[in-house]
Amino acid sequence: MTTCVRVGIAGTGSYVPEQIVPNSHFEKYLDTSDEWIVQRTGIKSRRWAVDGQATSDMALIAGQRALEAAKLAPEDLDLIICGTLTPDHLLPGCSALVQRKLGATKAGAFDVNAACTGFLTALNTGEAFVRSGRARRVLAIGAETLSRWIDPQDRGSCILFGDGAGAAVLTAYEDCKQGEILKTTLGADGNGYELIHMLGGGSLTPPTHASLDRGDHFIRVQGREVFRFAVERMGSLIEELSEGHDYDEIGLVVPHQVNLRIIDSALERMGWNKDKVVVNIQNYGNTSAASVAVALDEAVRAGRAQPGKLVILAAFGAGLTWGGTLIRW
Ligand code: UT7
């Protein structure tokens, strides 16, 4: 028998570490300036995890906050999906640690690695589980500790990234009566594999002393090429998700916080007003899989997601991958 359950977002939560790293941190040792970083990216500061704090710690708090908002207990969960490219360990997955720390005794758990599309991949996968009747309550998380994988000497990338976590609880719409997911999309183009990558540490090039000395474990970004791809993809995702809906129906766009100029260009292309868009990149930088999840939670808590209005989530990242979700709040 085919089941088709309407799916809603019962609650959201997020967490960013307390350590604030302003642009002046980089001015101290790199040929860069606060002015350049703000003008070229929109970033003023970012949060970095402190020693001993890892991805699962942040994911746990975001998950607890989402469960609290959904008025559900950890034991109510059937599944935990964690989008991350920076799990605490390569093995096992971050989601298993979250499951243990949360005490979600009845939940299955797995990670997805779709880089900055991580939260939307987790969310859209969780949506499919609930829609098909395979799970009743799913915790979708996007969480990253990117600060541990940046090359502090690479001024083109180290200034971009921050740490944090965001989460959403998915249930049957009938149970939560809010945040109905109307449309989901995921895509990929592996031809852009090398535009954002970490060369070392995987099965092709396992870590060696030499690879560590070369810095092969750091995130490498071909910023200019990614920029071009991102402007095009952000615009086309928003177009695809909003197709068939009037401009006035759209309450909020929550884009991946990658670069303020990329967000502005996409909006310009659409001719959309900036007040519909959630932007927090100035405070957190690019937190990859956490980015859309944190921005969505902050917008929800600030009362910016109005009941009945449409909310568009759009992200893209390494792979290349991209994903989007259309929600009626
Ligand atoms: O989520 C996916 C991961 N994110 C990304 O891949 C980021 C996407 N790309 C971007 O956000 C932008 O491309 C950057 C912010 C990374 C760079 O901005 P840009 O306007 O594309 O600069 P550019 O790479 O074209 O570089 C312009 C100049 C270069 O100097 P020359 O060659 O013109 O002399 C860079 O060396 O800016 C220089 N530059 C910097 N100068 C001061 C690069 N980084 C810095 C810096 N401070 N931090």
Side-chain angles (χ1 to χ4, degrees):
M1 191 181 77
T2 311
T3 314
C4 195
V5 179
R6 290 168 69 191
V7 185
I9 294 181
T12 62
S14 63
Y15 171 82
V16 289
E18 277 161 30
Q19 183 181 196
I20 300 172
V21 180
N23 291 342
S24 57
H25 166 81
F26 302 99
E27 287 179 322
K28 284 181 201 149
Y29 72 95
L30 277 177
D31 180 14
T32 189
S33 65
D34 175 55
E35 194 190 359
W36 190 95
I37 299 170
V38 173
Q39 262 181 15
R40 308 303 283 180
T41 70
I43 301 166
K44 293 180 178 160
S45 63
R46 69 288 291 140
R47 304 294 184 98
W48 282 358
V50 294
D51 287 350
Q53 192 176 31
T55 303
S56 70
D57 300 314
M58 295 185 280
L60 172 69
I61 301 173
Q64 284 169 330
R65 290 177 178 168
L67 280 169
E68 200 181 313
K71 299 190 175 59
L72 289 172
E75 312 83 65
D76 294 327
L77 291 172
D78 298 317
L79 186 61
I80 298 170
I81 310 173
C82 188
T84 185
L85 66 96
T86 53
D88 298 30
H89 312 280
L90 213 54
L91 179 78
C94 183
S95 53
L97 277 173
V98 175
Q99 183 271 340
R100 180 174 87 181
K101 291 177 181 178
L102 203 52
T105 47
K106 295 178 189 143
F110 61 87
D111 286 12
V112 292
N113 180 349
C116 303
T117 318
F119 174 64
L120 290 191
T121 306
L123 189 77
N124 292 357
T125 304
E127 190 262 358
F129 269 87
V130 178
R131 190 171 294 281
S132 65
R134 301 249 168 134
R136 286 178 58 211
R137 297 175 188 125
V138 178
L139 179 63
I141 302 171
E144 303 284 13
T145 316
L146 294 161
S147 59
R148 307 262 155 80
W149 302 101
I150 54 179
D151 180 350
Q153 300 302 328
D154 179 5
R155 67 177 183 171
S157 65
C158 70
I159 52 128
L160 298 173
F161 299 111
D163 303 336
V169 177
L170 295 158
T171 69
Y173 176 74
E174 286 311 310
D175 293 342
C176 66
K177 293 275 192 300
Q178 67 167 16
E180 182 176 12
I181 297 187
L182 303 179
K183 210 188 271 184
T184 64
T185 182
L186 291 175
D189 177 7
N191 292 313
Y193 192 77
E194 276 136 17
L195 292 185
I196 314 164
H197 72 172
M198 290 159 79
L199 200 61
S203 57
L204 182 64
T205 44
T208 60
H209 289 291
S211 76
L212 285 171
D213 288 344
R214 281 194 304 272
D216 286 353
H217 55 295
F218 291 133
I219 299 171
R220 301 290 174 202
V221 174
Q222 294 181 37
R224 223 172 286 184
E225 289 74 10
V226 176
F227 193 97
R228 273 195 291 274
F229 155 76
V231 169
E232 195 285 317
R233 185 52 53 189
M234 179 92 87
S236 55
L237 270 171
I238 296 173
E239 257 169 25
E240 180 188 337
L241 291 163
S242 61
E243 199 185 337
H245 296 283
D246 293 337
Y247 179 67
D248 290 343
E249 278 184 84
I250 315 287
L252 220 48
V253 180
V254 187
H256 174 38
Q257 307 290 309
V258 55
N259 183 316
L260 189 57
R261 287 188 294 139
I262 294 173
I263 297 172
D264 285 347
S265 306
L267 286 181
E268 225 167 85
R269 165 175 157 176
M270 299 292 292
W272 284 14
N273 202 320
K274 281 189 189 179
D275 62 14
K276 284 195 196 285
V277 179
V278 180
V279 175
N280 63 11
I281 190 170
Q282 68 280 9
N283 301 324
Y284 306 138
N286 177 353
T287 58
S288 186
S291 148
V292 170
V294 171
L296 173 66
D297 180 53
E298 289 192 343
V300 168
R301 283 171 195 267
R304 291 186 67 190
Q306 302 155 43
K309 290 277 191 184
L310 297 175
V311 176
I312 291 174
L313 313 181
F316 45 80
L320 300 163
T321 57
W322 56 88
T325 311
L326 180 71
I327 305 161
R328 188 176 298 283
W329 205 262

